Amino acid sequence: METLKMLISSMELGSQEEVLQALEKEGYKLTQATLSRDLKQLKVAKAASMNGKYVYVLPNETMYKRISKPRSANEMLQVSGFLSINFSGNMGVIKTRPGYASSIAYNIDDSDIPEIIGTIAGDDTIFIVIKEGATYNDVIEGLSMVIPNIKN
């Protein structure tokens, strides 16, 4: 699933056949039926890219900034995309590399970290709301399960 999300986020894939070929280059052999189910589960949609071609996009990424020299999904998965975190009151702002915020925020929300009430993600920024009474160290400790290289 992570590889599929990375491929959709970093490449302009307009058909399931193109997605299957990209997955195969990464070492994954899927059937069209399995891919179709995975795309549905990820709530993948089609949207017009900058050149007017309709391509697959992840939810909330219809205006995704594509990178000019895509790296392999395996390379991208080895880099967390995390850059920094800063706090103010019960809020936190996580800075990421372009295109990583949505995926990291999804993983934060999916991890049910008790100190974090919720997230809002842009392209390279994640806004987090911290539960009252939680310390910043508690938040960072909770986030370390999702973002291994996190430091305040």
Side-chain angles (χ1 to χ4, degrees), residues 16-110:
Q16 289 191 5
E17 184 59 37
E18 288 176 11
V19 176
L20 287 170
Q21 287 171 3
L23 283 166
E24 201 164 324
K25 283 182 188 168
E26 295 294 332
Y28 297 91
K29 189 100 173 102
L30 265 70
T31 65
Q32 186 275 328
T34 301
L35 175 63
S36 186
R37 184 199 68 219
D38 289 350
L39 291 173
K40 187 174 184 176
Q41 188 177 349
L42 289 173
K43 296 180 173 62
V44 170
K46 275 199 168 180
S49 67
M50 297 303 184
N51 63 12
K53 177 183 170 192
Y54 277 83
V55 296
Y56 288 112
V57 293
L58 295 167
N60 302 321
E61 291 194 38
T62 52
M63 299 305 288
Y64 193 88
K65 293 184 184 91
R66 305 263 170 200
I67 49 178
S68 54
K69 276 174 85 179
R71 295 172 308 172
S72 77
N74 282 337
E75 281 180 294
M76 287 187 280
L77 286 171
Q78 290 170 10
V79 177
S80 78
F82 169 81
L83 295 177
S84 67
I85 185 166
N86 287 292
F87 298 103
S88 178
N90 72 327
M91 298 173 286
V93 174
I94 297 173
K95 287 291 193 180
T96 71
R97 295 178 36 205
Y100 282 80
S102 179
S103 158
I104 293 172
Y106 174 84
N107 290 336
I108 291 169
D109 290 338
D110 201 44

Coordinates of all heavy atoms in Angstrom, one line a residue, residues 16-110:
Q16 N -4.9 1.8 -15.0 CA -4.5 0.7 -14.1 C -3.3 -0.1 -14.7 O -2.5 -0.5 -14.0 CB -5.7 -0.2 -13.8 CG -6.7 0.4 -12.9 CD -7.8 -0.6 -12.4 OE1 -7.7 -1.8 -12.6 NE2 -8.8 0.0 -11.7
E17 N -3.3 -0.2 -16.0 CA -2.2 -0.8 -16.7 C -0.9 -0.1 -16.4 O 0.1 -0.7 -16.1 CB -2.4 -0.9 -18.2 CG -1.4 -1.7 -19.0 CD -1.2 -3.1 -18.5 OE1 -2.2 -3.8 -18.2 OE2 0.0 -3.6 -18.5
E18 N -0.9 1.2 -16.4 CA 0.3 2.0 -16.1 C 0.7 1.8 -14.6 O 1.9 1.7 -14.3 CB 0.1 3.5 -16.4 CG 0.0 3.9 -17.8 CD -0.3 5.3 -18.1 OE1 -0.2 6.1 -17.1 OE2 -0.6 5.7 -19.2
V19 N -0.3 1.7 -13.7 CA 0.0 1.5 -12.3 C 0.6 0.1 -12.1 O 1.6 0.0 -11.4 CB -1.3 1.7 -11.5 CG1 -1.0 1.3 -10.0 CG2 -1.8 3.1 -11.6
L20 N 0.0 -0.9 -12.8 CA 0.6 -2.3 -12.7 C 2.0 -2.3 -13.1 O 2.9 -3.0 -12.5 CB -0.3 -3.3 -13.4 CG -1.7 -3.6 -12.8 CD1 -2.6 -4.3 -13.8 CD2 -1.5 -4.3 -11.5
Q21 N 2.3 -1.6 -14.3 CA 3.7 -1.6 -14.8 C 4.7 -1.0 -13.8 O 5.8 -1.4 -13.6 CB 3.7 -0.9 -16.2 CG 3.1 -1.8 -17.3 CD 2.9 -1.0 -18.6 OE1 3.4 0.2 -18.7 NE2 2.3 -1.6 -19.6
A22 N 4.2 0.2 -13.2 CA 5.1 0.9 -12.3 C 5.3 0.0 -11.0 O 6.4 0.0 -10.5 CB 4.4 2.2 -11.9
L23 N 4.3 -0.7 -10.6 CA 4.4 -1.6 -9.4 C 5.4 -2.7 -9.8 O 6.2 -3.1 -8.9 CB 3.1 -2.2 -9.0 CG 2.2 -1.2 -8.2 CD1 0.8 -1.7 -8.1 CD2 2.8 -1.0 -6.8
E24 N 5.3 -3.2 -11.0 CA 6.2 -4.4 -11.4 C 7.6 -3.9 -11.4 O 8.5 -4.7 -11.0 CB 5.7 -4.9 -12.8 CG 6.2 -6.3 -13.0 CD 5.5 -7.0 -14.2 OE1 4.3 -6.7 -14.4 OE2 6.2 -7.7 -14.9
K25 N 7.9 -2.7 -11.8 CA 9.3 -2.1 -11.8 C 9.8 -2.1 -10.4 O 11.0 -2.1 -10.2 CB 9.3 -0.7 -12.4 CG 9.3 -0.7 -13.9 CD 9.4 0.7 -14.5 CE 9.1 0.7 -16.0 NZ 8.9 2.1 -16.5
E26 N 8.9 -1.9 -9.4 CA 9.3 -1.9 -8.0 C 9.4 -3.3 -7.4 O 9.7 -3.4 -6.2 CB 8.3 -1.0 -7.2 CG 8.3 0.4 -7.6 CD 9.6 1.1 -7.3 OE1 10.3 0.7 -6.3 OE2 9.9 2.1 -8.0
G27 N 9.1 -4.3 -8.2 CA 9.1 -5.7 -7.7 C 7.8 -6.3 -7.2 O 7.8 -7.3 -6.6
Y28 N 6.7 -5.6 -7.5 CA 5.4 -6.1 -7.0 C 4.6 -6.6 -8.2 O 4.5 -5.9 -9.2 CB 4.6 -5.0 -6.3 CG 5.2 -4.5 -5.1 CD1 6.1 -3.4 -5.1 CD2 5.0 -5.1 -3.9 CE1 6.7 -3.0 -3.9 CE2 5.6 -4.7 -2.7 CZ 6.4 -3.6 -2.7 OH 7.0 -3.1 -1.6
K29 N 4.1 -7.8 -8.1 CA 3.2 -8.4 -9.2 C 1.8 -8.5 -8.6 O 1.6 -9.3 -7.7 CB 3.8 -9.8 -9.6 CG 3.1 -10.3 -10.8 CD 4.0 -10.1 -12.0 CE 3.5 -10.8 -13.3 NZ 2.8 -9.9 -14.2
L30 N 0.9 -7.7 -9.1 CA -0.5 -7.7 -8.7 C -1.4 -8.0 -9.9 O -1.1 -7.7 -11.0 CB -0.9 -6.3 -8.2 CG -0.8 -5.9 -6.7 CD1 0.7 -5.8 -6.3 CD2 -1.5 -4.6 -6.4
T31 N -2.6 -8.5 -9.5 CA -3.6 -8.7 -10.6 C -4.3 -7.4 -10.7 O -4.3 -6.6 -9.8 CB -4.6 -9.8 -10.2 OG1 -5.3 -9.5 -9.0 CG2 -3.8 -11.2 -10.0
Q32 N -5.0 -7.2 -11.8 CA -5.8 -6.0 -12.0 C -6.9 -6.0 -10.9 O -7.2 -4.9 -10.4 CB -6.4 -6.0 -13.4 CG -7.2 -4.8 -13.8 CD -8.6 -4.8 -13.3 OE1 -9.3 -5.8 -13.3 NE2 -9.1 -3.6 -13.0
A33 N -7.5 -7.1 -10.5 CA -8.6 -7.1 -9.5 C -8.0 -6.6 -8.2 O -8.7 -5.8 -7.5 CB -9.2 -8.5 -9.4
T34 N -6.8 -7.1 -7.8 CA -6.2 -6.7 -6.5 C -5.9 -5.2 -6.6 O -6.2 -4.5 -5.6 CB -4.9 -7.5 -6.2 OG1 -5.3 -8.9 -6.2 CG2 -4.3 -7.0 -4.9
L35 N -5.4 -4.7 -7.7 CA -5.1 -3.3 -7.8 C -6.4 -2.5 -7.7 O -6.4 -1.5 -7.0 CB -4.4 -3.0 -9.1 CG -4.1 -1.5 -9.4 CD1 -3.2 -0.9 -8.4 CD2 -3.6 -1.3 -10.8
S36 N -7.4 -2.9 -8.4 CA -8.7 -2.2 -8.4 C -9.2 -2.1 -6.9 O -9.6 -1.0 -6.5 CB -9.7 -2.9 -9.2 OG -10.9 -2.2 -9.3
R37 N -9.1 -3.2 -6.2 CA -9.6 -3.2 -4.8 C -8.7 -2.2 -3.9 O -9.2 -1.4 -3.1 CB -9.5 -4.6 -4.2 CG -10.0 -4.7 -2.8 CD -9.5 -5.9 -2.0 NE -8.1 -5.8 -1.8 CZ -7.2 -6.8 -1.9 NH1 -7.6 -8.0 -2.2 NH2 -5.9 -6.6 -1.7
D38 N -7.4 -2.2 -4.1 CA -6.5 -1.4 -3.4 C -6.7 0.1 -3.7 O -6.7 1.0 -2.8 CB -5.0 -1.7 -3.7 CG -4.6 -3.0 -3.1 OD1 -5.3 -3.6 -2.3 OD2 -3.5 -3.5 -3.5
L39 N -7.0 0.4 -5.0 CA -7.3 1.8 -5.4 C -8.5 2.3 -4.7 O -8.6 3.4 -4.2 CB -7.4 1.9 -6.9 CG -6.1 1.8 -7.7 CD1 -6.4 1.7 -9.2 CD2 -5.1 2.8 -7.4
K40 N -9.5 1.4 -4.7 CA -10.8 1.8 -4.0 C -10.6 2.0 -2.5 O -11.1 2.9 -1.9 CB -11.8 0.7 -4.3 CG -13.2 1.0 -3.8 CD -14.2 -0.1 -4.2 CE -15.6 0.3 -3.9 NZ -16.6 -0.6 -4.3
Q41 N -9.8 1.1 -1.9 CA -9.6 1.2 -0.5 C -8.8 2.5 -0.1 O -9.1 3.1 0.9 CB -8.8 0.0 0.0 CG -8.6 -0.1 1.5 CD -7.9 -1.4 1.9 OE1 -7.7 -2.3 1.1 NE2 -7.5 -1.5 3.2
L42 N -7.9 2.9 -1.0 CA -7.2 4.2 -0.8 C -8.0 5.4 -1.2 O -7.5 6.5 -1.0 CB -5.9 4.1 -1.6 CG -4.8 3.2 -1.0 CD1 -3.6 3.2 -2.0 CD2 -4.3 3.6 0.3
K43 N -9.2 5.2 -1.7 CA -10.1 6.3 -2.2 C -9.4 7.1 -3.3 O -9.4 8.3 -3.3 CB -10.5 7.2 -1.0 CG -11.4 6.4 0.0 CD -11.8 7.3 1.1 CE -12.8 6.7 2.0 NZ -12.4 5.6 2.8
V44 N -8.6 6.4 -4.1 CA -7.9 7.1 -5.2 C -9.0 7.6 -6.3 O -9.9 6.9 -6.6 CB -6.9 6.1 -5.9 CG1 -6.4 6.6 -7.2 CG2 -5.8 5.7 -4.9
A45 N -8.7 8.8 -6.8 CA -9.6 9.4 -7.8 C -8.8 9.7 -9.0 O -7.6 9.6 -9.0 CB -10.3 10.6 -7.2
K46 N -9.5 10.2 -10.0 CA -8.7 10.7 -11.2 C -9.0 12.3 -11.2 O -10.1 12.7 -11.0 CB -9.2 10.1 -12.5 CG -8.5 8.8 -12.7 CD -8.7 8.4 -14.2 CE -7.8 7.2 -14.5 NZ -7.9 6.8 -15.9
A47 N -7.9 13.0 -11.6 CA -8.0 14.4 -11.7 C -7.1 14.8 -12.8 O -6.1 14.2 -13.2 CB -7.5 15.1 -10.4
A48 N -7.4 16.0 -13.4 CA -6.6 16.5 -14.5 C -5.3 17.0 -14.0 O -5.2 17.7 -13.0 CB -7.3 17.6 -15.2
S49 N -4.2 16.6 -14.7 CA -2.9 17.1 -14.3 C -2.6 18.4 -15.0 O -3.5 18.9 -15.7 CB -1.8 16.0 -14.7 OG -1.7 16.0 -16.1
M50 N -1.4 19.0 -14.8 CA -1.1 20.3 -15.4 C -1.2 20.3 -16.9 O -1.6 21.3 -17.5 CB 0.3 20.7 -15.0 CG 0.5 20.9 -13.5 SD -0.7 22.1 -12.9 CE -0.2 22.3 -11.2
N51 N -0.9 19.1 -17.5 CA -1.0 19.0 -19.0 C -2.4 18.6 -19.5 O -2.5 18.3 -20.7 CB 0.1 18.2 -19.5 CG 0.0 16.7 -19.1 OD1 -1.0 16.3 -18.6 ND2 1.1 16.0 -19.3
G52 N -3.3 18.4 -18.6 CA -4.7 18.1 -19.0 C -5.0 16.6 -19.1 O -6.1 16.2 -19.3
K53 N -3.9 15.8 -18.8 CA -4.1 14.3 -18.8 C -4.8 13.9 -17.5 O -4.4 14.5 -16.5 CB -2.7 13.7 -19.0 CG -2.7 12.2 -18.9 CD -1.3 11.6 -19.0 CE -1.3 10.1 -18.6 NZ 0.1 9.6 -18.4
Y54 N -5.7 13.0 -17.5 CA -6.3 12.6 -16.3 C -5.5 11.5 -15.7 O -5.1 10.5 -16.3 CB -7.8 12.0 -16.5 CG -8.7 13.2 -16.6 CD1 -8.9 13.9 -17.7 CD2 -9.4 13.6 -15.4 CE1 -9.8 15.0 -17.7 CE2 -10.3 14.7 -15.4 CZ -10.5 15.4 -16.6 OH -11.3 16.4 -16.6
V55 N -5.1 11.7 -14.4 CA -4.2 10.8 -13.7 C -4.8 10.4 -12.3 O -5.6 11.2 -11.8 CB -2.8 11.4 -13.5 CG1 -2.1 11.6 -14.9 CG2 -2.8 12.7 -12.7
Y56 N -4.3 9.3 -11.8 CA -4.7 8.9 -10.4 C -4.1 9.9 -9.4 O -3.0 10.3 -9.5 CB -4.3 7.5 -10.1 CG -5.0 6.5 -10.9 CD1 -4.4 5.7 -11.8 CD2 -6.4 6.2 -10.6 CE1 -5.1 4.7 -12.5 CE2 -7.1 5.3 -11.3 CZ -6.5 4.5 -12.3 OH -7.2 3.6 -12.9
V57 N -4.9 10.2 -8.4 CA -4.5 11.1 -7.3 C -5.0 10.5 -6.0 O -6.1 9.9 -6.0 CB -4.9 12.6 -7.4 CG1 -4.2 13.2 -8.5 CG2 -6.4 12.7 -7.5
L58 N -4.3 10.7 -4.9 CA -4.8 10.3 -3.6 C -5.7 11.3 -3.0 O -5.7 12.5 -3.5 CB -3.6 10.1 -2.6 CG -2.6 9.0 -3.0 CD1 -1.3 9.2 -2.2 CD2 -3.2 7.7 -2.8
P59 N -6.6 11.0 -2.1 CA -7.5 12.0 -1.5 C -6.8 13.2 -1.0 O -5.7 13.1 -0.5 CB -8.2 11.3 -0.3 CG -7.9 9.8 -0.5 CD -6.7 9.7 -1.4
N60 N -7.3 14.4 -1.2 CA -6.8 15.7 -0.8 C -5.5 16.0 -1.5 O -4.8 16.9 -1.1 CB -6.5 15.7 0.7 CG -7.8 15.5 1.5 OD1 -8.9 15.9 1.1 ND2 -7.7 14.7 2.5
E61 N -5.2 15.4 -2.6 CA -3.9 15.7 -3.4 C -4.2 16.0 -4.8 O -3.4 15.8 -5.7 CB -3.0 14.5 -3.3 CG -2.4 14.3 -1.9 CD -1.2 13.4 -1.9 OE1 -0.4 13.4 -2.8 OE2 -1.2 12.6 -1.0
T62 N -5.4 16.6 -5.1 CA -5.7 16.8 -6.5 C -4.8 17.9 -7.1 O -4.6 17.9 -8.3 CB -7.2 17.3 -6.7 OG1 -7.4 18.3 -5.8 CG2 -8.1 16.1 -6.4
M63 N -4.2 18.8 -6.3 CA -3.3 19.8 -6.8 C -1.9 19.5 -6.4 O -1.0 20.3 -6.2 CB -3.7 21.2 -6.2 CG -5.1 21.6 -6.6 SD -5.4 21.7 -8.4 CE -4.3 23.1 -8.8
Y64 N -1.6 18.2 -6.4 CA -0.3 17.7 -6.0 C 0.8 18.3 -6.8 O 0.7 18.3 -8.0 CB -0.3 16.1 -6.1 CG 0.9 15.6 -5.4 CD1 0.8 15.2 -4.0 CD2 2.1 15.4 -6.0 CE1 1.9 14.7 -3.4 CE2 3.2 14.8 -5.4 CZ 3.1 14.5 -4.1 OH 4.2 14.0 -3.4
K65 N 1.9 18.8 -6.2 CA 3.0 19.3 -6.9 C 3.9 18.1 -7.3 O 4.5 17.5 -6.4 CB 3.8 20.3 -6.0 CG 3.1 21.5 -5.7 CD 4.0 22.4 -4.9 CE 3.3 23.7 -4.5 NZ 2.6 23.6 -3.2
R66 N 4.0 17.8 -8.6 CA 4.8 16.7 -9.0 C 6.3 17.0 -9.0 O 6.6 18.2 -9.4 CB 4.4 16.3 -10.5 CG 2.9 16.0 -10.6 CD 2.6 14.5 -10.5 NE 1.2 14.4 -10.4 CZ 0.6 13.3 -9.9 NH1 1.4 12.3 -9.5 NH2 -0.7 13.2 -9.8
I67 N 7.1 16.1 -8.7 CA 8.5 16.3 -8.7 C 9.0 16.0 -10.1 O 8.5 15.1 -10.8 CB 9.3 15.5 -7.7 CG1 8.9 14.1 -7.7 CG2 9.1 16.1 -6.3 CD1 9.6 13.2 -6.7
S68 N 10.0 16.8 -10.6 CA 10.5 16.6 -12.0 C 11.3 15.4 -12.2 O 11.2 14.8 -13.3 CB 11.3 17.9 -12.4 OG 12.3 18.1 -11.4
K69 N 12.1 14.9 -11.2 CA 12.9 13.7 -11.4 C 12.4 12.7 -10.4 O 13.0 12.6 -9.3 CB 14.4 14.0 -11.2 CG 15.0 14.5 -12.5 CD 16.4 14.9 -12.2 CE 17.4 13.8 -12.3 NZ 18.8 14.1 -12.1
P70 N 11.4 11.9 -10.7 CA 10.9 11.0 -9.6 C 11.9 9.9 -9.3 O 12.6 9.4 -10.2 CB 9.6 10.3 -10.3 CG 9.7 10.7 -11.7 CD 10.6 11.8 -11.9
R71 N 12.0 9.6 -8.0 CA 12.9 8.5 -7.6 C 12.1 7.2 -7.5 O 10.8 7.3 -7.5 CB 13.5 8.9 -6.3 CG 14.5 10.1 -6.4 CD 14.9 10.5 -5.0 NE 13.7 10.7 -4.2 CZ 13.8 11.0 -2.9 NH1 15.0 11.1 -2.3 NH2 12.7 11.2 -2.2
S72 N 12.7 6.1 -7.3 CA 11.9 4.9 -7.1 C 11.2 4.9 -5.8 O 11.6 5.6 -4.9 CB 12.8 3.7 -7.1 OG 13.5 3.5 -5.9
A73 N 10.0 4.2 -5.7 CA 9.2 4.2 -4.5 C 10.0 3.7 -3.3 O 9.9 4.2 -2.2 CB 8.0 3.4 -4.7
N74 N 10.9 2.7 -3.6 CA 11.7 2.2 -2.5 C 12.6 3.2 -1.9 O 12.8 3.3 -0.7 CB 12.5 0.9 -3.0 CG 11.6 -0.3 -3.0 OD1 10.6 -0.4 -2.4 ND2 12.0 -1.3 -3.8
E75 N 13.2 4.1 -2.8 CA 14.1 5.1 -2.3 C 13.3 6.1 -1.5 O 13.7 6.6 -0.4 CB 14.7 5.9 -3.5 CG 15.8 5.3 -4.2 CD 16.3 6.2 -5.3 OE1 15.6 6.3 -6.3 OE2 17.4 6.7 -5.3
M76 N 12.1 6.5 -1.9 CA 11.3 7.4 -1.2 C 10.8 6.9 0.1 O 10.7 7.6 1.1 CB 10.0 7.8 -2.1 CG 10.4 8.7 -3.2 SD 9.0 9.4 -4.1 CE 8.6 8.0 -5.1
L77 N 10.5 5.6 0.2 CA 10.1 5.0 1.5 C 11.2 5.0 2.5 O 10.9 4.9 3.7 CB 9.5 3.6 1.2 CG 8.2 3.5 0.6 CD1 7.8 2.1 0.2 CD2 7.1 4.1 1.5
Q78 N 12.4 5.0 2.1 CA 13.6 5.0 3.0 C 13.8 6.3 3.6 O 14.5 6.5 4.6 CB 14.8 4.5 2.3 CG 14.7 3.0 2.0 CD 15.9 2.5 1.1 OE1 16.8 3.2 0.8 NE2 15.7 1.3 0.6
V79 N 13.2 7.4 3.0 CA 13.4 8.7 3.6 C 12.0 9.1 4.1 O 11.0 9.1 3.4 CB 13.8 9.7 2.4 CG1 13.9 11.1 2.9 CG2 15.1 9.3 1.8
S80 N 12.0 9.5 5.4 CA 10.7 9.8 6.0 C 10.0 11.1 5.5 O 8.8 11.2 5.5 CB 10.8 9.9 7.5 OG 11.4 11.2 7.9
G81 N 10.8 12.0 5.0 CA 10.2 13.3 4.5 C 10.1 14.3 5.6 O 9.9 15.5 5.3
F82 N 10.3 13.9 6.8 CA 10.2 14.8 8.0 C 11.4 15.8 8.0 O 12.5 15.4 7.8 CB 10.2 14.0 9.3 CG 10.4 14.8 10.5 CD1 9.3 15.5 11.1 CD2 11.6 14.9 11.1 CE1 9.5 16.2 12.2 CE2 11.8 15.7 12.3 CZ 10.7 16.3 12.8
L83 N 11.1 17.1 8.3 CA 12.1 18.1 8.4 C 12.2 18.6 9.8 O 13.3 18.7 10.4 CB 11.9 19.2 7.4 CG 12.0 18.8 5.9 CD1 11.7 20.0 5.0 CD2 13.4 18.3 5.6
S84 N 11.1 19.1 10.4 CA 11.1 19.7 11.7 C 9.8 19.7 12.4 O 8.7 19.5 11.7 CB 11.6 21.2 11.6 OG 10.7 21.9 10.9
I85 N 9.8 20.0 13.7 CA 8.5 20.1 14.4 C 8.7 21.3 15.4 O 9.8 21.5 16.0 CB 8.1 18.9 15.2 CG1 6.7 19.0 15.8 CG2 9.2 18.4 16.2 CD1 6.1 17.8 16.3
N86 N 7.7 22.1 15.5 CA 7.7 23.3 16.4 C 6.3 23.3 17.1 O 5.3 23.0 16.5 CB 7.9 24.6 15.7 CG 9.4 24.7 15.3 OD1 10.2 24.8 16.1 ND2 9.6 24.6 14.0
F87 N 6.3 23.7 18.4 CA 5.1 23.8 19.2 C 4.8 25.2 19.6 O 5.6 26.0 19.8 CB 5.2 22.9 20.4 CG 5.5 21.5 20.1 CD1 6.7 20.9 20.3 CD2 4.4 20.6 19.8 CE1 7.0 19.6 20.0 CE2 4.6 19.3 19.5 CZ 5.9 18.8 19.7
S88 N 3.5 25.4 19.8 CA 3.0 26.7 20.4 C 1.6 26.3 21.1 O 0.7 25.9 20.4 CB 2.8 27.8 19.4 OG 2.3 28.9 20.0
G89 N 1.6 26.4 22.4 CA 0.4 26.1 23.1 C 0.0 24.6 22.9 O 0.8 23.7 23.0
N90 N -1.2 24.4 22.5 CA -1.7 23.0 22.2 C -1.6 22.7 20.7 O -2.4 21.9 20.2 CB -3.1 22.8 22.7 CG -4.2 23.5 21.9 OD1 -3.9 24.6 21.4 ND2 -5.3 22.9 21.8
M91 N -0.8 23.4 20.0 CA -0.6 23.2 18.5 C 0.8 22.8 18.2 O 1.7 23.2 18.9 CB -1.0 24.4 17.8 CG -2.5 24.8 18.0 SD -2.8 26.4 17.2 CE -2.0 27.5 18.4
G92 N 1.0 22.1 17.1 CA 2.3 21.8 16.6 C 2.3 21.9 15.1 O 1.2 21.7 14.5
V93 N 3.4 22.3 14.5 CA 3.6 22.4 13.1 C 4.7 21.5 12.7 O 5.8 21.7 13.2 CB 3.8 23.8 12.6 CG1 4.1 23.9 11.1 CG2 2.5 24.7 12.9
I94 N 4.5 20.5 11.8 CA 5.5 19.6 11.3 C 5.8 20.1 9.9 O 4.9 20.2 9.1 CB 5.0 18.2 11.3 CG1 4.8 17.7 12.8 CG2 6.1 17.3 10.6 CD1 4.2 16.3 12.8
K95 N 7.1 20.3 9.6 CA 7.5 20.7 8.2 C 8.0 19.4 7.6 O 8.8 18.6 8.2 CB 8.6 21.7 8.2 CG 8.0 23.1 8.6 CD 7.2 23.6 7.5 CE 6.8 25.1 7.6 NZ 6.0 25.5 6.5
T96 N 7.6 19.1 6.3 CA 8.1 18.0 5.6 C 8.7 18.4 4.3 O 8.5 19.6 3.8 CB 7.0 17.0 5.3 OG1 6.1 17.5 4.3 CG2 6.2 16.7 6.6
R97 N 9.3 17.5 3.6 CA 9.7 17.7 2.2 C 8.4 17.8 1.4 O 7.4 17.2 1.7 CB 10.6 16.6 1.7 CG 11.9 16.6 2.5 CD 12.9 15.6 2.2 NE 12.9 15.2 0.8 CZ 13.4 14.0 0.4 NH1 13.7 13.1 1.2 NH2 13.4 13.8 -0.9
P98 N 8.5 18.5 0.2 CA 7.3 18.7 -0.6 C 6.6 17.3 -1.0 O 7.3 16.4 -1.3 CB 7.8 19.4 -1.9 CG 9.0 20.1 -1.4 CD 9.6 19.3 -0.3
G99 N 5.3 17.2 -0.7 CA 4.6 16.0 -1.1 C 4.5 15.0 0.0 O 3.7 14.0 -0.2
Y100 N 5.2 15.1 1.1 CA 5.2 14.1 2.1 C 4.1 14.3 3.2 O 3.7 13.4 3.9 CB 6.5 14.0 2.8 CG 7.6 13.3 2.0 CD1 8.2 13.9 0.9 CD2 7.9 11.9 2.3 CE1 9.2 13.2 0.2 CE2 8.8 11.2 1.6 CZ 9.5 11.9 0.5 OH 10.4 11.2 -0.2
A101 N 3.6 15.5 3.4 CA 2.8 15.9 4.5 C 1.5 15.0 4.6 O 1.1 14.5 5.7 CB 2.4 17.3 4.5
S102 N 0.8 14.8 3.5 CA -0.4 14.1 3.5 C -0.2 12.6 4.0 O -1.0 12.1 4.8 CB -1.0 14.1 2.1 OG -2.2 13.3 2.0
S103 N 0.8 12.0 3.5 CA 1.1 10.6 3.8 C 1.5 10.5 5.3 O 1.0 9.6 6.0 CB 2.2 10.1 2.9 OG 2.9 9.0 3.5
I104 N 2.3 11.4 5.8 CA 2.7 11.4 7.2 C 1.5 11.7 8.1 O 1.3 11.0 9.1 CB 3.9 12.3 7.5 CG1 5.2 11.9 6.7 CG2 4.2 12.5 9.0 CD1 6.3 12.9 6.8
A105 N 0.7 12.6 7.7 CA -0.5 13.0 8.6 C -1.4 11.8 8.6 O -2.0 11.5 9.7 CB -1.2 14.2 8.0
Y106 N -1.6 11.1 7.5 CA -2.5 9.9 7.5 C -1.9 8.9 8.4 O -2.7 8.3 9.2 CB -2.5 9.3 6.0 CG -3.3 8.0 6.0 CD1 -4.6 8.0 5.9 CD2 -2.6 6.8 6.1 CE1 -5.3 6.8 5.8 CE2 -3.3 5.6 6.0 CZ -4.7 5.6 5.9 OH -5.3 4.4 5.9
N107 N -0.6 8.7 8.4 CA 0.0 7.7 9.3 C -0.1 8.1 10.8 O -0.3 7.3 11.7 CB 1.5 7.4 9.0 CG 1.6 6.7 7.7 OD1 0.7 6.0 7.2 ND2 2.7 6.9 7.0
I108 N 0.0 9.4 11.1 CA -0.2 9.9 12.4 C -1.6 9.6 12.9 O -1.9 9.1 14.0 CB 0.1 11.4 12.5 CG1 1.6 11.7 12.3 CG2 -0.3 12.0 13.9 CD1 2.0 13.1 12.1
D109 N -2.6 10.0 12.1 CA -4.0 9.8 12.4 C -4.3 8.3 12.6 O -5.0 7.9 13.5 CB -4.9 10.4 11.4 CG -4.9 11.9 11.4 OD1 -4.6 12.5 12.4 OD2 -5.3 12.5 10.3
D110 N -3.7 7.5 11.7 CA -4.0 6.1 11.8 C -3.3 5.4 13.0 O -3.8 4.3 13.4 CB -3.4 5.4 10.5 CG -4.0 4.1 10.2 OD1 -5.3 3.9 10.3 OD2 -3.3 3.2 9.8

